Amino acid sequence: MEYAAPETTKAAVSLLAKAKGSAYVLAGGSDLLVRMRGGFVEPDLVVDIKRIKAMREVKKTASGYTIGAAVSCAELGENKALAKAWPGVVEAANLIGSKQIQGRCTMAGNMCNASPAADSVPALVAAGAKAVIQGPKGKRLVPVEQVAIGPGKTSLKKGELVEALALPARKPRSGDAYLRFIPRTEMDIAVVSAGVNVTIDAKGVITEARVALGAVAPTVLLVAAAAKAIIGTKLDDAALEKLGEAASAACRPIDDKRGTVEFRVKVAAVLAKRAAKIAYKRAGGK
């Protein structure tokens, strides 16, 4: 196995494009190293991106925030401006693993691991975040919900890697939230999760919404019908009921030792409604 630690994105892309055999990107390593130790993958090349300056920064711009692919979740939790603008996204990132893992894991890595139960992904999808992907043919922006195409599989092509995650500028009177259900109190994998992002007008009526569900399908779901159910409302009981129904209807879960199909379908509605209430309150709704 070869190990490389390039200092520029261009160099990293070149290494990945020219690699013979299997090549993997190392950001925090909290997923990759576990898979390597378990014998699930045997990389011919590991490209460590932590020395690339552009991937170690969180930048605020006129168009929003850019979060480098190698920025740890612990660093995100300490960024007060980001936490104020996108509390749901930061909260989701801070639910990944233990305190020790937090110092290493990254949202980009969490996304590229392509687990249906990834904590940060539903929150990113609800936020309308995009992945900044660099490759041999240049840069492209891809909505986060289009990065994973199945469990453990992404839409990235040979030689491509995620350089950063781009969050849009926060609109006035907006709020987001992320909730999950886990059997334990912490350090567990989501059985069901929900991310909700809303914008309201001066009267408290929801004008925009995005609802995402995790761990209820092969990939995280962006549920347009759930968003439509609450747009034009003040999130009254009738709107919440329709939101829950749409969330449940979108689910395509499996039975496993962590939860049944029936349980996941029911809890998806519960979490979507609860997350919507929190997002609405954060947006200034009453």
Side-chain angles (χ1 to χ4, degrees):
M1 184 186 77
E2 293 185 34
Y3 167 85
E7 295 185 1
T8 66
T9 301
K10 184 178 180 179
V13 168
S14 178
L15 285 165
L16 292 170
K18 296 177 181 178
K20 296 180 179 179
S22 59
Y24 289 82
V25 173
L26 173 67
S30 56
D31 285 315
L32 178 59
L33 295 182
V34 171
R35 293 169 66 196
M36 289 172 63
R37 286 180 64 87
F40 298 105
V41 297
E42 295 183 5
D44 294 299
L45 171 67
V46 172
V47 178
D48 188 340
I49 61 172
K50 292 191 296 297
R51 294 185 187 179
I52 301 174
K53 185 179 179 181
M55 297 194 190
R56 296 281 303 141
E57 300 174 336
V58 177
K59 294 182 179 179
K60 183 180 180 181
T61 66
S63 58
Y65 282 88
T66 300
I67 302 168
V71 175
S72 73
C73 290
E75 291 175 278
L76 295 179
E78 294 170 356
N79 191 308
K80 294 181 179 179
L82 179 63
K84 183 179 180 180
W86 291 101
V89 172
V90 174
E91 287 169 354
N94 287 164
L95 286 174
I96 302 171
S98 62
K99 290 293 184 182
Q100 294 90 337
I101 294 297
Q102 282 285 310
R104 300 290 297 179
C105 67
T106 69
M107 284 204 299
N110 190 229
M111 175 185 67
C112 290
N113 190 48
S115 166
D119 277 311
S120 67
V121 179
L124 287 168
V125 171
K130 294 183 178 181
V132 182
I133 299 174
Q134 293 280 6
K137 296 183 179 180
K139 180 173 74 174
R140 61 190 181 105
L141 294 177
V142 177
V144 168
E145 60 269 26
Q146 295 178 16
V147 173
I149 56 175
K153 298 179 180 179
T154 72
S155 58
L156 270 66
K157 301 170 185 176
K158 181 175 175 59
E160 290 188 328
L161 79 165
V162 175
E163 182 180 49
L165 292 168
L167 285 166
R170 175 54 98 188
K171 295 181 179 180
R173 292 191 291 269
S174 296
D176 70 320
Y178 171 78
L179 294 174
R180 68 177 183 178
F181 173 83
I182 56 174
R184 304 188 302 184
T185 56
E186 60 181 337
M187 290 192 294
D188 208 341
I189 301 170
V191 178
V192 186
S193 61
V196 179
N197 180 37
V198 300
T199 298
I200 64 176
D201 64 15
K203 295 182 180 180
V205 175
I206 297 174
T207 58
E208 296 180 32
R210 286 173 68 93
V211 179
L213 300 174
V216 294
T219 62
V220 170
L221 300 176
L222 176 62
V223 189
K228 185 179 179 180
I230 58 175
I231 292 174
T233 76
K234 292 185 177 181
L235 207 65
D236 53 33
D237 290 343
L240 284 169
E241 191 62 28
K242 289 181 180 179
L243 166 64
E245 290 173 357
S248 290
C251 294
R252 306 194 306 274
I254 59 170
D255 279 315
D256 61 20
K257 63 182 180 181
R258 309 186 68 254
T260 64
V261 167
E262 292 78 12
F263 179 79
R264 286 186 161 108
V265 168
K266 183 175 181 178
V267 175
V270 174
L271 292 184
K273 289 189 284 186
R274 290 179 180 176
K277 287 181 179 180
I278 296 170
Y280 185 71
K281 185 176 181 180
R282 286 175 172 171
K286 296 178 181 179

